[in-house]
Amino acid sequence: KDFGVRIQESVFLATLDESLCERMVERLTKEVDVAVDSVVVFGLCASCATRVAAIGAAHLPEDQDYYVL
């Protein structure tokens, strides 16, 4: 949650450059219990980011480089 915005209980959106994404992944690697937890980081190109759709009360920040789920 230090790197992005919570959009669901365990789903976060974050706008990160390459360096910040590497820091976040490094930190998560230290904190995640790989026996029971899982983290998936999706990088989006500029073209893909324009095709993200939010339905209902969802609000997506602009210019996402990565989704953190």
Side-chain angles (χ1 to χ4, degrees):
K1 61 186 170 183
D2 292 339
F3 292 91
V5 177
R6 182 186 301 269
I7 61 168
Q8 288 184 356
E9 180 65 29
S10 298
V11 180
F12 296 84
L13 290 177
T15 302
L16 308 172
D17 62 21
E18 200 68 32
S19 174
L20 191 54
C21 182
E22 288 173 10
R23 283 183 38 214
M24 179 193 66
V25 170
E26 185 177 305
R27 181 169 159 192
L28 287 169
T29 301
K30 294 175 183 174
E31 294 186 20
V32 168
D33 179 350
V34 296
V36 294
D37 297 327
S38 62
V39 176
V40 179
V41 178
F42 294 92
L44 294 180
C45 68
S47 176
C48 293
T50 64
R51 295 191 308 254
V52 172
I55 299 169
H59 171 72
L60 299 175
E62 294 190 22
D63 299 322
Q64 304 97 331
D65 290 330
Y66 292 89
Y67 282 103
V68 181
L69 305 175

